[in-house]
Amino acid sequence: MSSDIDELRREIDIVDVISEYLNLEKVGSNYRTNCPFHPDDTPSFYVSPSKQIFKCFGCGVGGDAIKFVSLYEDISYFEAALELAKRYGKKLDLERISKDEKIYVALDKVSDFYRSSLLKNKEASEYVRSRGIDPKVVKKFDLGYAPSSEELVKILKESGLLEVYIETKNLISPTKGVYRDLFLRRVVIPIRDPRGRVIGFGGRRIAEDNSPKYINSPDSRVFKKRDNLFGLYEAKEYIKEEGFAILVEGYFDLLRLFSERIRNVVAPLGTALTQNQATLLSKFTKKVYLLYDGDAAGRKAMKSAIPLLLKAGLEVYPVYLPEGYDPDEFIKEFGREKLKELINNSEEVFQLIIKTAEENFEEKTKEFRYYLSFVPDGVKRFALASEFHTKYKVPMDILLVKPEKIPQEGNIKLSFKEKVFLKGLLEMKPKIDINALDLSPTLKGLALKALNGEDHLLPKEVLEYNVDNLEKLFNGILKDFQKCEKKKKKDLKNVNT
Ligand SMILES: [Zn+2]
């Protein structure tokens, strides 16, 4: 359902609105002027009529027409919306503004705070620089830094957004009324939905301590990790232009490639690729290159991503970096052109297998059949099988049979406890020894798949299962499984003595 504010956004024109305040000069399809929000003689302030947004490439500030008025007049976003509605003779009922709408405004506010804090923090901006991130990319992605929980809470309180922001779970509350920023003292990477709205954050530790290297916003009503891709909003025009997307493993891989002017890049959100992410990507392109780390973990992750991408109807091109290199290290040593060359020379996954099957025939045939079973288009599946058959004389009916039965809904009946356990493994990837738990053989098999990131081999009811307090429930269930195993061992000992 579209909200009143959405309607207002559609009705007003950002060029009209900003022209009332500033003299805009037309350049190509955009407009520009000196930025009113920082001392600027370049002009670095741009307005895009097609996207209906403004963006300053000097200080990084940006947003829609309502946000411009709110910043310029120094009033809240909703006051600015009211003001504009009045000017345009539209009715706007503030009571009817949805909670989601407010959460987006709160997230944008927090992102602005992080962005302006990065410039002020030497250690954080030095960290970003040391990772080879171009200043233009820092601004494009609004990279930030989380300096202080107190300041953050103060800003949210002042704009009446603290209450809705709590729903994002980006604040930790150890005691009632006390809040700690989840991203405190981290470099922060805003994550946007395809419309460009900030929906969550990723945070990179910059101190060498024992805290996790990366953390992400927990899932909430506006942020679902499984359903969004990092960089899609920023990359989608380039993906269209190039005719393909490059999928990388992490935030900094993507930011590095952007810094090398390779911009048709997306990444999953701190976990293994999901089916929903693959499907989302397929709405923007039909061709994807997988550029993962050149090590065992990277190749394994690639192997579990391929079926999901194929299932989404994408043509998949695995790119193999030399052993021990990640994309950044490869560029540092061989340069950007060599990386582009490596990508351009990479072969489509089925063609690659057909070409190299002789080297390890049994294994490659199995792999071919396995991947083939995910191609949704029957005609294409048949054509690929024929190609393999013609070259290697493997009977068609063998090629077209699934090598491993993939559990489908209804095949396995899982209890609540088992579902929570598998979902927990999938989402949190804890470091535990599955063999030390008391699990049925079926559950153990699924648990190993969940830990290996082989999402596609898990029942749909697990993938789509949503539960509040997953972590707490999971830990309780884990303890149960551990206890049972200990008791069993003890009983066994008693029998033996
Ligand atoms: Zn500016």
Side-chain angles (χ1 to χ4, degrees):
M1 201 191 77
S2 89
S3 66
D4 284 6
I5 289 209
D6 269 335
E7 255 170 57
L8 178 67
R9 273 193 209 103
R10 270 197 298 274
E11 201 101 339
I12 57 184
D13 178 53
I14 192 162
V15 177
D16 282 354
V17 171
I18 296 184
S19 294
E20 286 188 34
Y21 299 89
L22 308 169
N23 280 324
L24 294 176
E25 171 201 357
K26 189 149 203 252
V27 274
S29 54
N30 295 321
Y31 293 82
R32 76 171 172 203
T33 189
N34 295 336
C35 177
F37 305 114
H38 86 279
D40 177 28
D41 46 20
T42 347
S44 349
F45 184 95
Y46 283 79
V47 182
S48 160
S50 60
K51 290 185 191 156
Q52 286 292 309
I53 54 164
F54 70 94
K55 175 84 186 166
C56 172
F57 292 95
C59 64
V61 67
D64 61 18
I66 304 171
K67 186 168 169 197
F68 176 84
V69 173
S70 113
L71 289 174
Y72 201 92
E73 307 260 9
D74 198 17
I75 52 181
S76 84
Y77 189 86
F78 299 107
E79 285 165 338
L82 269 183
E83 173 65 35
L84 278 169
K86 219 193 289 163
R87 266 186 237 170
Y88 279 76
K90 286 209 46 122
K91 259 204 206 132
L92 185 66
D93 186 356
L94 275 191
E95 297 294 307
R96 269 194 53 199
I97 289 173
S98 71
K99 199 174 228 175
D100 286 357
E101 192 77 63
K102 284 185 187 156
I103 294 181
Y104 291 125
V105 173
L107 283 160
D108 188 66
K109 193 119 205 147
V110 173
S111 174
D112 277 350
F113 168 61
Y114 288 155
R115 175 174 49 74
S116 59
S117 305
L118 179 66
L119 301 168
K120 295 178 205 150
N121 187 285
K122 229 177 135 191
E123 203 192 346
S125 29
E126 173 53 30
Y127 176 79
V128 171
R129 208 190 53 79
S130 76
R131 291 296 300 261
I133 312 303
D134 189 277
K136 275 191 198 134
V137 174
V138 173
K139 273 165 202 152
K140 186 171 181 77
F141 283 82
D142 288 332
L143 298 194
Y145 176 69
S148 144
S149 303
E150 291 74 25
E151 259 183 85
L152 176 68
V153 169
K154 190 168 160 253
I155 289 169
L156 286 166
K157 261 190 189 155
E158 277 170 3
S159 37
L161 293 167
L162 180 61
E163 208 173 299
V164 289
Y165 192 69
I166 288 168
E167 292 212 13
T168 65
K169 303 180 194 160
N170 290 330
L171 292 174
I172 308 162
S173 182
T175 41
K176 207 168 180 290
V178 178
Y179 299 102
R180 184 178 173 278
D181 185 355
L182 182 64
F183 298 99
L184 189 62
R185 287 191 281 283
R186 285 171 183 270
V187 164
V188 185
I189 303 143
I191 296 152
R192 295 168 192 279
D193 66 9
R195 280 174 60 179
R197 297 178 298 193
V198 176
I199 51 175
F201 302 102
R204 173 64 164 89
R205 168 189 90 188
I206 52 174
E208 282 305 322
D209 55 25
N210 289 329
S211 63
K213 229 186 234 180
Y214 287 95
I215 51 170
N216 294 292
S217 290
D219 276 17
S220 67
R221 49 193 290 164
V222 298
F223 185 53
K224 303 259 183 294
K225 283 197 243 348
R226 313 191 69 79
D227 299 343
N228 286 284
L229 280 165
F230 176 57
L232 186 57
Y233 170 70
E234 291 83 355
K236 61 183 182 184
E237 300 299 323
Y238 300 105
I239 291 174
K240 226 186 274 166
E241 214 174 282
E242 298 280 345
F244 65 92
I246 300 170
L247 184 67
V248 294
E249 285 182 85
Y251 302 136
F252 275 91
D253 294 325
L254 184 145
L255 296 169
R256 264 300 285 148
L257 289 182
F258 254 80
S259 300
E260 296 291 333
R261 302 181 316 283
I262 300 173
R263 301 179 178 112
N264 49 333
V265 194
V266 292
L269 297 172
T271 56
L273 187 80
T274 68
Q275 187 62 62
N276 290 0
Q277 290 169 338
T279 306
L280 175 63
L281 185 58
S282 73
K283 291 179 182 145
F284 295 86
T285 185
K286 288 293 154 223
K287 208 166 153 183
V288 59
Y289 286 75
L290 273 173
L291 182 61
Y292 282 25
D293 291 357
D295 56 19
R299 282 187 295 270
K300 197 166 153 193
M302 208 139 84
K303 227 173 165 168
S304 45
I306 291 172
L308 305 173
L309 296 162
L310 290 172
K311 208 172 161 188
L314 285 154
E315 248 178 64
V316 184
Y317 291 70
V319 180
Y320 292 100
L321 287 169
E323 182 65 38
Y325 286 86
D326 64 22
D328 175 43
E329 289 159 338
F330 186 89
I331 292 172
K332 270 197 192 124
E333 188 153 341
F334 305 106
R336 160 188 193 268
E337 289 312 311
K338 276 273 173 276
L339 181 66
K340 286 191 95 168
E341 215 174 273
L342 183 72
I343 292 170
N344 289 333
N345 291 335
S346 292
E347 292 210 51
E348 190 272 334
V349 62
F350 289 108
Q351 294 310 320
L352 182 66
I353 299 176
I354 292 175
K355 217 176 195 177
T356 59
E358 261 152 287
E359 292 162 19
N360 188 352
F361 191 67
E362 223 167 285
E363 193 56 36
K364 293 275 176 181
T365 308
K366 217 172 121 193
E367 197 180 22
F368 187 86
R369 290 166 61 200
Y370 175 63
Y371 287 153
L372 193 63
S373 72
F374 291 97
V375 174
D377 178 352
V379 176
K380 202 170 162 190
R381 208 162 54 232
F382 191 83
L384 285 165
S386 308
E387 236 180 289
F388 198 88
H389 165 75
T390 309
K391 187 158 178 196
Y392 297 110
K393 309 291 171 246
V394 178
M396 286 295 277
D397 52 350
I398 288 184
L399 289 173
L400 289 166
V401 165
K402 288 185 187 186
E404 180 182 352
K405 205 164 161 44
I406 293 146
Q408 299 291 344
E409 221 172 349
N411 263 359
I412 300 166
K413 199 93 200 92
L414 293 169
S415 68
F416 168 77
K417 204 169 139 179
E418 291 170 329
K419 268 191 276 190
V420 172
F421 179 64
L422 290 171
K423 186 77 179 182
L425 293 178
L426 203 59
E427 297 265 311
M428 303 187 288
K429 301 267 186 307
K431 287 207 164 50
I432 54 169
D433 179 10
I434 292 292
N435 291 315
L437 303 177
D438 178 32
L439 306 175
S440 72
T442 312
L443 187 59
K444 188 174 161 185
L446 291 172
L448 288 170
K449 283 172 183 139
L451 276 182
N452 286 337
E454 294 172 308
D455 297 21
H456 57 282
L457 297 178
L458 292 171
K460 219 168 143 194
E461 57 172 330
V462 172
L463 297 178
E464 286 170 2
Y465 193 57
N466 273 319
V467 64
D468 282 337
N469 300 327
L470 178 65
E471 200 167 345
K472 207 171 150 198
L473 282 170
F474 173 82
N475 286 330
I477 290 167
L478 182 63
K479 262 186 207 140
D480 267 7
F481 285 144
Q482 285 165 336
K483 249 188 242 148
C484 287
E485 183 63 16
K486 265 187 206 149
K487 189 170 171 295
K488 250 197 201 165
K489 276 198 184 131
K490 219 168 128 196
D491 290 348
L492 212 65
K493 228 169 133 191
N494 289 343
V495 172
N496 288 341
T497 48

